[in-house]
Amino acid sequence: ETDLEALKTKYEMKLAELENALTSEKNHQIELLKKENEENWCTREQELRSQLEIDHKLSIDELVKFHNEAKTLALTELETELNLRMEKVHSQLVEEHMAKFKELTEQLQR
């Protein structure tokens, strides 16, 4: 019976040793997974930040392009408006000069 108790104690100690080793290995694996997960998250976060910076730059470039197009369009519209006004003023001046010329011609004929 003493041999059986000694053997039982020996196996219980070995079992406890194996359980401790298993728990240690499990904790070690958990730490490795946590570290790997953190590294993956940091990498993913950096990728997202880079994409956000790219998107932001593209947005700014698009705004600048839109602004320049709007400015060009506005200038074209202003130029068209100015040309129309100049034509109107020119027509009025021609009419006034023709009237004056006609008046002077009539005065000379009298």
Side-chain angles (χ1 to χ4, degrees), residues 64-110:
V64 168
K65 182 180 172 189
F66 176 75
H67 173 74
N68 288 338
E69 287 173 358
K71 190 165 63 172
T72 300
L73 183 61
L75 287 174
T76 303
E77 289 174 0
L78 285 173
E79 185 178 11
T80 302
E81 178 67 24
L82 183 60
N83 285 337
L84 289 173
R85 286 182 183 182
M86 286 174 58
E87 285 176 20
K88 188 175 178 182
V89 167
H90 181 259
S91 295
Q92 286 175 344
L93 286 174
V94 167
E95 283 179 24
E96 289 173 9
H97 284 293
M98 291 301 286
K100 195 71 149 170
F101 180 75
K102 186 177 177 185
E103 183 183 321
L104 289 173
T105 303
E106 288 174 355
Q107 285 178 6
L108 284 174
Q109 288 177 350
R110 291 187 204 151

Side-chain angles (χ1 to χ4, degrees), residues 5-40:
E5 285 179 6
L7 194 57
K8 181 181 172 190
T9 303
K10 182 179 172 186
Y11 280 118
E12 284 175 347
M13 287 173 59
K14 188 68 176 168
L15 183 62
E17 214 177 277
L18 288 172
E19 285 176 347
N20 285 340
L22 186 60
T23 301
S24 282
E25 182 58 25
K26 185 175 100 178
N27 289 338
H28 177 68
Q29 290 299 322
I30 287 172
E31 288 303 312
L32 287 177
L33 285 173
K34 282 181 181 176
K35 185 177 179 185
E36 183 180 338
N37 187 42
E38 186 176 323
E39 288 170 357
N40 287 343

